Amino acid sequence: MDKREEEEDTEEAWLQLQPVEPLPSQCCGSGCSPCVFDLYHQDLARWEVARASNDRSLLSGKQSQSCPSSLSPESFLAFSITAVDKLTKDTYRVQFALPGNSRLGLQPGQHLVLRGIVEDLEIQRAYTPISPANAEGYFEVLIKCYQTGLMSRYVESWRAGDTAFWRGPFGGFFYKPNQYGELLMLASGTGLAPMVPILQSITDNADDETFVTLVCCFKTFDSIYLKTFLQEQARFWNVRTVFVLSQESSLEQLPWSYREKTHLGRLGLDLIEEVVRCCRRKPFALVCGSPEFTRDMAKCLLCVGLAEDSYFLF
């Protein structure tokens, strides 16, 4: 083999090692840091330096995505599925095993990114664990599936014993006990997920005297997630729950325990004003739901006098 052929083979070998730019579907759209595109640019820069130096050992800083040693925002880690519970016709609570009695290590309200592959297309989506932050040996997530969703097809194929890949944690809200006089939680559908571990961290801590008003928005009574958990939380002296059902026609059809705390229709400015007025202390608001819901709630909160630094949008 002459020198020219050796150079061509070397060039071909380096091109095979070049990182592949992610597809748009591989970004979960949740503003994670680092994003898959951040990781790509990091890997590309490392590859360019190694190639210029003709030193492949410089690539060794890249951790394998299939076998990282611990949960990391940059690398996916495999977790075994131990249970898949169908809560409603389109929503699942999925439990994953952790080694021994270890903990996931997330702060309440932080989220993870799930990687799935459907028809050879890699997709990534963000989900917030609903298990307590101090849960040992497991964690749980709440996932809603959509008829046309690629990730939904992947999730609906899960069975106990399967493996799923997660990376994280991500999230910009960090709750500290007694940091706020009252938390006003506005959640629509699976937007309830980040509220669950935050709420439980408050009620599990006898020294945390934060008041909580949780407003849950669903279409119907049957579509409410985690009813038992929400009823148990509402028994605490500092927790108040409110339900807003957009497709129920009469309170008479609901159980007695729900009638006084349920409103029919959609959550709007009038009800937000009423809820804020009934808060026992000046509230700090947390909002999670669809992009439209989040935008609408942010406008309502500004209209009732909360400044932009008095609420957080998940």
Side-chain angles (χ1 to χ4, degrees), residues 255-312:
W256 280 101
S257 60
Y258 282 84
R259 294 183 188 181
E260 289 188 357
K261 56 186 178 183
T262 299
H263 299 261
L264 303 183
R266 293 186 177 276
L267 181 60
L269 180 58
D270 290 345
L271 185 51
I272 292 290
E273 286 180 331
E274 179 183 335
V275 170
V276 171
R277 190 167 56 248
C278 292
C279 285
R280 292 143 291 192
R281 298 172 181 169
K282 182 180 179 181
F284 182 91
L286 302 176
V287 182
C288 191
S290 68
E292 181 182 6
F293 175 84
T294 301
R295 286 194 301 268
D296 289 346
M297 293 303 101
K299 292 178 182 177
C300 289
L301 292 171
L302 289 173
C303 288
V304 300
L306 267 69
E308 289 189 5
D309 62 356
S310 293
Y311 61 80
F312 181 86

Side-chain angles (χ1 to χ4, degrees), residues 207-241:
D207 295 324
D208 193 341
E209 298 185 346
T210 304
F211 285 104
V212 179
T213 296
L214 171 61
V215 182
C216 305
C217 303
F218 293 93
K219 291 181 179 179
T220 65
F221 176 77
D222 290 337
S223 66
I224 298 175
Y225 311 132
L226 310 176
K227 289 189 184 75
T228 300
F229 169 81
L230 294 175
Q231 290 286 67
E232 290 173 349
Q233 294 297 305
R235 296 191 180 101
F236 284 89
W237 64 273
N238 54 338
V239 177
R240 181 168 59 116
T241 56

Side-chain angles (χ1 to χ4, degrees), residues 240-260:
R240 181 168 59 116
T241 56
V242 178
F243 295 91
V244 182
L245 305 179
S246 61
Q247 294 183 8
E248 290 286 358
S249 57
S250 172
L251 293 176
E252 312 280 320
Q253 300 173 357
L254 306 183
W256 280 101
S257 60
Y258 282 84
R259 294 183 188 181
E260 289 188 357

Side-chain angles (χ1 to χ4, degrees), residues 192-214:
L192 178 64
M195 312 302 179
V196 170
I198 296 172
L199 175 58
Q200 186 148 23
S201 72
I202 293 172
T203 55
D204 281 349
N205 183 356
D207 295 324
D208 193 341
E209 298 185 346
T210 304
F211 285 104
V212 179
T213 296
L214 171 61

